[in-house]
């Protein structure tokens, strides 16, 4: 009966994945030194190649306290 309208084609993504050790250190910054960040920053100690190095906060006092407690630069 009627002509079929063309359907948009779906994008096809082919991603080659491999799991290999990280050879470089990944430095992390914490945004918002709240309750969750207190727990997350502790996990960096057990992740190879990960290190928390900075913190951002609306309050300089809170950022300084968080950095002091966790040895951030």
């Amino acid at each position: 009966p009627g002509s079929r309208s063309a359907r948009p084609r779906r994008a096809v993504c082919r991603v080659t994945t491999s799991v290999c050790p990280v050879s470089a250190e990944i430095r992390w910054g914490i945004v918002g030194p709240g309750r969750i960040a207190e727990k997350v920053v502790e996990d960096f100690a057990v992740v190879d190649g990960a290190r928390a190095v900075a913190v951002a906060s609306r309050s300089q006092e809170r950022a300084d306290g968080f950095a002091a407690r966790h040895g951030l630069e």
Side-chain angles (χ1 to χ4, degrees), residues 33-47:
R35 184 182 65 234
I36 294 172
E38 290 284 348
K39 296 293 184 185
V40 170
V41 76
E42 295 171 0
D43 294 337
F44 289 123
V46 295
V47 177

Side-chain angles (χ1 to χ4, degrees), residues 3-68:
S3 66
R4 294 175 61 184
S5 61
R7 285 192 202 172
R9 290 186 177 190
R10 288 187 180 181
V12 176
C13 293
R14 289 189 167 86
V15 179
T16 303
T17 59
S18 64
V19 178
C20 55
V22 175
S23 59
E25 179 179 72
I26 299 174
R27 295 174 295 179
W28 292 84
I30 304 297
V31 178
R35 184 182 65 234
I36 294 172
E38 290 284 348
K39 296 293 184 185
V40 170
V41 76
E42 295 171 0
D43 294 337
F44 289 123
V46 295
V47 177
D48 291 337
R51 180 169 63 109
V53 297
V55 60
S57 175
R58 291 181 293 174
S59 163
Q60 185 67 52
E61 185 177 303
R62 287 189 66 203
D64 291 344
F66 187 91

